[in-house]
Amino acid sequence: MGIFALPLDSDIISENQLIETGFADIKLMIKREDLIHPEVPGNKWRKLKYNLVRAREIGEPTLLTFGGAFSNHIAAVAAAGRLYKFSTIGIIRGEELSDKIDGNPTLKFAAECGMKLVFIPRSQYALKESQDFIENLRSRLGKFYLIPEGGTNALAIRGCEEILTDAERGFEYICTAVGTGGTLSGLVNSAGPNQKVLGFPAIKGIWSKSEFLALADRVDQCELLLDYHFGGYGKTTAELIEFINKFYSDYQIKLDPIYTGKMMFGIFDLIAKGYFKPGSSILAIHTGGIQGVNGMNKQLLKKKQPIIEFL
């Protein structure tokens, strides 16, 4: 699939950084996938990589995808389009946002990258996986290469399978935040036989592994930790914000309040509760997501709540 150059591949920086937990018998490292690229970081690059290759192979110059007001995926697709000379279209949930682009850091960035933003009512957005709806978009907007909301498809999972390297086979636990399940599936597929993958869903609800691992080869090595959503997708609490700020103060690593902050909070809580046996080694995947912090801080300020302080 190497039909065109992917310079990010040759420049990937993904170091492992030791995190002192206060528990001498637990080794915790964080894999800095957030350092891959400032605009297409972490799992967003992993998910987009082979989709970009496929779009170029079939001669499709336009990428179309879906997302909400502060979507990491929308920002990443827009940036990747600019980097690799694709036209991009973002179908945005909520027609009321159409006149608020300048006040929204994510949408403003996407527009500045050249993405055409199409705002639709939430009732229509719910039909985004309907074939009739997709064909209607093609009739309105022309030909395009479709990338699902969140970026998860078989090619995305192939990219996420490349997160783990042979040097990381010694870790007993691999931890990741979970949104659409693509990163989780890729990690499950590539994990060694003695490794357990822990997923921390950012979405509130009772989920089964099969819902998140529809495209994974196996599910027996995976466990979902359902108690760290902090109210659901896009929700946060003062406790979580305080944890994120302290984590940055202690380790100089930025976390986001939607995904990675919740995962790291969960890992520390599980360590304190004795979930991991003495001598365990844990690798936490930093999947990026920092671009959404500006938007979250705006919302927190409106509510007169504590904000993330590292910006």
Side-chain angles (χ1 to χ4, degrees):
M1 276 194 166
I3 196 168
F4 76 113
L6 291 169
L8 291 187
D9 255 359
S10 60
D11 298 332
I12 281 180
I13 301 171
S14 188
E15 64 188 32
N16 292 339
Q17 186 169 338
L18 181 67
I19 303 297
E20 296 291 345
T21 64
F23 292 79
D25 56 352
I26 300 291
K27 178 184 177 183
L28 173 61
M29 302 282 285
I30 185 166
K31 188 175 179 71
R32 300 294 307 277
E33 290 279 291
D34 58 310
L35 300 178
I36 286 177
H37 190 272
E39 294 178 346
V40 196
N43 65 343
K44 296 310 174 189
W45 167 242
R46 301 292 188 180
K47 289 181 177 182
L48 286 173
K49 173 182 173 180
Y50 289 112
N51 277 288
L52 297 180
V53 172
R54 180 59 178 160
R56 188 59 54 88
E57 277 183 340
I58 64 176
E60 182 49 75
T62 300
L63 312 174
L64 180 142
T65 196
F66 303 86
F70 302 104
S71 167
N72 294 322
H73 175 66
I74 286 290
V77 171
R82 181 180 62 185
L83 284 167
Y84 297 114
K85 311 305 180 188
F86 288 95
S87 298
T88 55
I89 302 171
I91 308 299
I92 308 300
R93 181 178 63 247
E95 59 185 343
E96 74 277 3
L97 298 169
S98 61
D99 61 351
K100 298 179 176 62
I101 295 174
D102 287 342
N104 181 298
T106 300
L107 298 179
K108 184 178 180 182
F109 172 78
E112 289 172 347
C113 287
M115 176 175 272
K116 176 182 176 66
L117 301 176
V118 179
F119 299 87
I120 64 173
R122 295 166 193 275
S123 58
Q124 290 185 24
Y125 190 88
L127 303 173
K128 62 185 179 296
E129 296 180 7
S130 159
Q131 192 58 42
D132 288 343
F133 180 72
I134 298 301
E135 290 307 314
N136 181 263
L137 288 178
R138 293 191 195 281
S139 66
R140 289 171 51 197
L141 302 171
K143 291 179 58 182
F144 54 77
Y145 180 88
L146 177 66
I147 300 176
E149 181 182 38
T152 292
N153 58 16
L155 291 175
I157 290 171
R158 177 182 173 187
C160 289
E161 289 172 0
E162 298 177 352
I163 294 173
L164 293 180
T165 67
D166 289 341
E168 290 147 359
R169 297 299 176 194
F171 288 95
E172 295 169 78
Y173 296 92
I174 310 298
C175 298
T176 185
V178 180
T180 56
T183 305
L184 183 68
S185 292
L187 291 170
V188 168
N189 287 351
S190 58
N194 298 316
Q195 293 181 305
K196 187 171 186 178
V197 181
L198 303 181
F200 293 78
I203 305 166
K204 184 178 181 180
I206 304 301
W207 303 96
S208 67
K209 288 189 287 186
S210 61
E211 289 179 272
F212 285 117
L213 295 169
L215 297 176
D217 294 336
R218 57 188 188 275
V219 299
D220 56 309
Q221 291 176 231
C222 173
E223 181 178 350
L224 296 179
L225 287 306
L226 303 176
D227 296 330
Y228 301 102
H229 53 71
F230 288 85
Y233 183 77
K235 305 293 185 181
T236 187
T237 67
E239 182 183 26
L240 178 62
I241 299 303
E242 180 183 1
F243 173 84
I244 290 171
N245 286 334
K246 186 176 188 306
F247 194 88
Y248 181 72
S249 176
D250 289 345
Y251 308 112
Q252 290 72 60
I253 299 175
K254 298 176 181 180
L255 303 175
D256 81 288
I258 308 300
Y259 294 108
T260 56
K262 295 178 179 181
M263 173 193 68
M264 290 306 304
F265 184 102
I267 293 170
F268 271 68
D269 189 56
L270 291 171
I271 290 172
K273 290 177 176 176
Y275 174 92
F276 302 100
K277 66 181 184 295
S280 293
S281 58
I282 307 162
L283 182 67
I285 311 300
H286 194 317
T287 50
I290 304 304
Q291 73 83 29
V293 171
N294 267 322
M296 176 60 74
N297 272 351
K298 285 192 171 189
Q299 292 182 317
L300 292 172
L301 284 170
K302 286 180 182 178
K303 298 175 183 177
K304 298 183 179 179
Q305 295 178 355
I307 66 169
I308 297 168
E309 297 172 350
F310 55 64
L311 295 182

